[in-house]
Amino acid sequence: MSDLPLSPAQKPAGARSWIETLGLAHILLGLFLLIYPAMASDFFLTQIGGYSLVLGMISLSLMLLAGYGGMVSLAQITVAGAAGYVVAIFGVNNSGVHGFGWPWWVFVPLAIAIASLVSALIGWIAVRTEGIYTIMITLAVATACFYFTQQNYALFNGFPGYNGLRAPEVFGVYWRDPVPFYYLCLAMATLAYAAVLYGARSTFGLTLQAIRDNPRRMRAIGFNVTAHKVFAWWLAGLIAGAAGVLLVWFNGRISPGTIAVGPAINILVIAIIGGLRHPIGPFLGAVVVTLMQTFAIDIIGAERFNTLIGLVFLLIVFISPDGILGLWERFRPQAGREDWRTFRTATKQVGNKGRKT
Amino acid sequence: MATNVAASRLQGTGANALELDGVGRQFGALTALSGINMRIAPGERRAVLGSNGAGKTTLFNTITGDFHPTSGSIRFFGEDITTLAVHERIRRGLRRTYQISQLFTNLTVRESIYLAYRGVSRNRFSLLRPRVSDSAMAQAESISHAVHLDGERDKTVGTLSHGQQRQLEIALALAGAPRFILFDEPAAGLSPTERRDLIEILNALPKHIGYIIIEHDLDVALRVSEYVSMMHNGQLFTEGTPEEIENDPRVQEIYLGGGHG
């Protein structure tokens, strides 16, 4: 990661203006997102804007694990789904099963808390493995959860799942209306994005990146590597859980289909297309994938739209293994390219070293 | 349990820094170490010599807990650490460096040393950014000075020269009040000037910090140690002062005549 603290340019933090602290790109992006509802139709506001932000958040939880921690998970949609099921069970639903009708300010924190614990549990199982095996074991967990929810009627209401999940009305606003829902998603996504960006340079953020670079050395300077990895999963679970609540309000329902293998892979595709080097990557990827999923049908027909998505995925991965972020770095004609080269050589060295030892 | 640990630590105040009793390690049918007995007093500086494959690095890996011995016991300042996890041993004041540098290529020198200090202190899980006024940051300053890396504090580790990476290896072992350090060939691949630098760094360590150093370069090994243990085929076969070892004909035959390199 290039965003490391205390590099000479950033050192006198107190001397910088707020514009420098935030970064011009962030301010422009923020302004655009804030006035987006004035330009967009309800469809673009919710189906593209809101949905991209929700998917982006789930992918962000994957980026946190994969980008900083080197742990690629296919179970992030499962974590989001856990939060969704809590909302369905403890809130109100139309399916006539459970639906305890608790107030939103109880079941929303509960949903996020349970999702984060589910995430920590999955992590606790997965951190025993590395690389491709982490992907496999999280895929296995995701698949098992999918089949379990499909066959369990007592708790998850089986195949049909839960319908009629409504966002709450607070302050006289129905939060699933296009504009409020968009701003709600924007606020949550911004919060998660800022937290990850800040946290990347925190003590724990450095720890996680150091564990990714060299777990053996981290043990040899006194770190309990397993505990730190599980903690990263718990944090990722908070983000995925919050996104899961938004997801069921967006869909109005949750069923095993929400957490099936297809959606699970979708999250990974989003993260890869966007890029794993910076927390903005998952959101870029989410916008691209959402647009493609929405409009590929018009271009190529309902039969083949997944083929188009697949081709675009192949193309991006082929041109730039670091997704859209990598493309940006490659074609930006600036000093930033030097950092980029250093980063690439550095990662290559890590790879070579790994092979030698 | 906690009181037991405290009690054994108290007992340990007068004990040896490191005590190995019949330590052995097998990998399947291969015996990498057998019957190692070693007593090292607090503050003692010991060199371990031996040809390639003699079991020196395996000995280190067993002491730090990368894997547990298949027989025997290890005591650290009187406390039995034979079955403790690696990080538990480190938090008791044991440190090590690696033969092939094991560093965090994408972090800066300062951040690396900061983490090494944080690993043995509180707030390891802090989600706040370290402040410049943090005492750990101050430690990073003084340790980078001690290993002659003052000018490189804000450089990314991947961009350092080989010699500087070797110095950072040592810095990581010095962070956070070490009591005993295992140096695994710190001079590997260093130029003659860098070797002199290394000897200077080792000799300038505080007197209470003891260490074991594995080193092929006898010039370095004999100038930074008070006592020498020779290993051969996974066993300790002789011990003595640097002069005794240098003049021992068996040593010259096995070590200097054999697979030196």
Side-chain angles (χ1 to χ4, degrees):
Chain A
M1 302 297 115
S2 54
D3 45 348
L4 294 165
L6 304 166
S7 63
Q10 303 167 324
K11 232 163 110 189
R16 288 185 300 161
S17 72
W18 64 274
I19 295 182
E20 283 171 307
T21 312
L22 263 179
L24 192 60
H26 277 146
I27 294 169
L28 291 177
L29 180 66
L31 279 178
F32 170 76
L33 289 172
L34 278 176
I35 61 168
Y36 178 67
M39 304 179 276
S41 63
D42 282 357
F43 176 80
F44 265 88
L45 203 51
T46 311
Q47 303 295 326
I48 306 293
Y51 190 46
S52 294
L53 289 166
V54 173
L55 285 182
M57 275 177 81
I58 304 178
S59 282
L60 177 66
S61 76
L62 168 61
M63 180 272 158
L64 191 166
L65 291 173
Y68 297 121
M71 301 175 278
V72 179
S73 161
L74 274 172
Q76 294 317 103
I77 193 75
T78 310
V79 175
Y85 272 107
V86 172
V87 169
I89 293 168
F90 291 92
V92 177
N93 66 63
N94 283 350
S95 302
V97 183
H98 302 303
F100 301 149
W102 291 10
W104 68 271
W105 45 268
V106 175
F107 71 68
V108 168
L110 182 70
I112 296 175
I114 289 181
S116 63
L117 291 179
V118 167
S119 181
L121 184 67
I122 298 173
W124 186 64
I125 299 168
V127 295
R128 281 134 216 280
T129 59
E130 265 175 39
I132 185 95
Y133 301 103
T134 309
I135 304 181
M136 293 309 293
I137 204 158
T138 49
L139 178 62
V141 169
T143 313
C145 289
F146 164 68
Y147 281 110
F148 184 70
T149 51
Q150 198 171 46
Q151 287 158 12
N152 178 291
Y153 279 79
L155 194 56
F156 297 105
N157 199 30
F159 180 75
Y162 293 96
N163 289 314
L165 309 173
R166 283 172 58 87
E169 284 179 42
V170 187
F171 309 124
V173 177
Y174 175 47
W175 287 92
R176 181 56 180 79
D177 279 338
V179 174
F181 183 70
Y182 170 78
Y183 279 118
L184 177 65
C185 293
L186 182 60
M188 296 299 284
T190 307
L191 190 67
Y193 171 76
V196 171
L197 203 57
Y198 174 89
R201 303 179 193 171
S202 70
T203 297
F204 180 74
L206 289 177
T207 304
L208 192 60
Q209 292 167 63
I211 287 175
R212 172 200 64 199
D213 285 358
N214 201 329
R216 189 178 180 202
R217 171 50 101 173
M218 282 304 271
R219 278 186 209 101
I221 56 175
F223 285 90
N224 183 344
V225 167
T226 307
H228 280 80
K229 282 182 169 181
V230 172
F231 187 61
W233 278 81
W234 182 77
L235 291 175
L238 292 178
I239 296 174
V245 173
L246 295 174
L247 185 66
V248 291
W249 286 345
F250 171 81
N251 285 326
R253 61 191 306 274
I254 182 152
S255 68
T258 313
I259 58 166
V261 173
I265 292 174
N266 205 21
I267 298 299
L268 181 63
V269 168
I270 288 171
I272 303 282
I273 285 184
L276 290 167
R277 289 188 52 227
H278 189 279
I280 199 69
F283 292 101
L284 294 175
V287 171
V288 170
V289 168
T290 307
L291 284 173
M292 278 197 302
Q293 284 180 339
T294 312
F295 295 109
I297 295 180
D298 298 337
I299 300 169
I300 203 169
E303 301 278 302
R304 292 273 179 272
F305 78 97
N306 268 325
T307 314
L308 185 66
I309 295 174
L311 283 176
V312 171
F313 177 74
L314 266 183
L315 194 71
I316 289 182
V317 173
F318 201 69
I319 298 175
S320 161
D322 292 292
I324 297 171
L325 282 178
L327 287 179
W328 166 251
E329 294 285 352
R330 180 174 299 193
F331 295 112
R332 189 172 61 167
Q334 279 172 16
R337 291 181 73 166
E338 280 310 307
D339 297 341
W340 172 238
R341 290 227 179 85
T342 327
F343 173 79
R344 290 302 297 249
T345 10
T347 33
K348 266 178 205 155
Q349 280 168 356
V350 175
N352 293 338
K353 213 166 272 168
R355 253 165 261 138
K356 259 185 251 166
T357 43
Chain B
M1 184 64 198
T3 48
N4 281 344
V5 172
S8 62
R9 272 188 182 168
L10 277 179
Q11 287 165 11
T13 43
N16 285 320
L18 194 65
E19 258 183 64
L20 306 184
D21 273 310
V23 169
R25 171 71 208 189
Q26 306 227 205
F27 296 102
L30 175 80
T31 305
L33 290 179
S34 77
I36 304 279
N37 294 306
M38 235 184 209
R39 301 270 180 282
I40 299 178
E44 183 184 333
R45 291 157 183 208
R46 170 89 55 116
V48 172
L49 304 181
S51 51
N52 287 327
K56 306 183 297 295
T57 298
T58 308
L59 178 68
F60 273 17
N61 287 338
T62 315
I63 297 172
T64 48
D66 279 9
F67 37 72
H68 294 165
T70 36
S71 62
S73 71
I74 304 169
R75 299 180 83 79
F76 187 64
F77 287 91
E79 182 187 356
D80 189 340
I81 60 164
T82 317
T83 55
L84 286 184
V86 178
H87 65 270
E88 296 282 355
R89 301 176 193 219
I90 302 304
R91 290 178 196 171
R92 282 162 172 74
L94 182 67
R95 300 285 187 282
R96 79 169 292 180
T97 71
Y98 290 89
Q99 191 176 356
I100 298 167
S101 295
Q102 302 280 330
L103 300 169
F104 314 119
T105 336
N106 295 309
L107 302 191
T108 65
V109 169
R110 188 197 299 269
E111 288 159 0
S112 301
I113 304 175
Y114 167 76
L115 282 184
Y117 178 81
R118 193 48 77 212
V120 290
S121 57
R122 284 157 174 243
N123 294 328
R124 278 185 290 271
F125 288 89
S126 171
L127 291 173
L128 299 178
R129 291 184 182 173
R131 279 185 305 228
V132 183
S133 60
D134 197 322
S135 65
M137 281 298 175
Q139 262 238 343
E141 298 268 322
S142 66
I143 289 173
S144 54
H145 176 72
V147 298
H148 308 179
L149 282 176
D150 308 66
E152 335 295 329
R153 278 182 199 129
D154 293 309
K155 285 196 184 158
T156 309
V157 173
T159 64
L160 296 182
S161 73
H162 175 77
Q164 288 169 333
Q165 294 198 355
R166 300 305 291 166
Q167 279 156 295
L168 182 57
E169 269 284 322
I170 296 173
L172 294 188
L174 293 180
R179 294 199 281 177
F180 198 84
I181 307 177
L182 307 171
F183 290 109
D184 195 346
E185 294 199 38
L190 295 188
S191 70
T193 336
E194 288 169 331
R195 273 163 203 250
R196 276 198 292 281
D197 226 23
L198 173 74
I199 294 171
E200 206 176 291
I201 290 171
L202 291 181
N203 284 330
L205 289 182
K207 288 293 163 221
H208 72 275
I209 301 178
Y211 58 72
I212 304 181
I213 180 169
I214 295 177
E215 189 47 68
H216 276 303
D217 184 336
L218 284 179
D219 271 353
V220 175
L222 301 180
R223 283 171 66 181
V224 298
S225 57
E226 302 147 352
Y227 207 67
V228 180
S229 299
M230 283 291 305
M231 284 185 75
H232 190 59
N233 287 338
Q235 289 175 314
L236 277 180
F237 88 93
T238 182
E239 295 187 327
T241 61
E243 293 73 38
E244 287 167 3
I245 293 296
E246 239 182 336
N247 298 324
D248 189 325
R250 292 175 303 167
V251 171
Q252 292 181 349
E253 186 187 334
I254 290 170
Y255 186 59
L256 301 177
H260 176 44

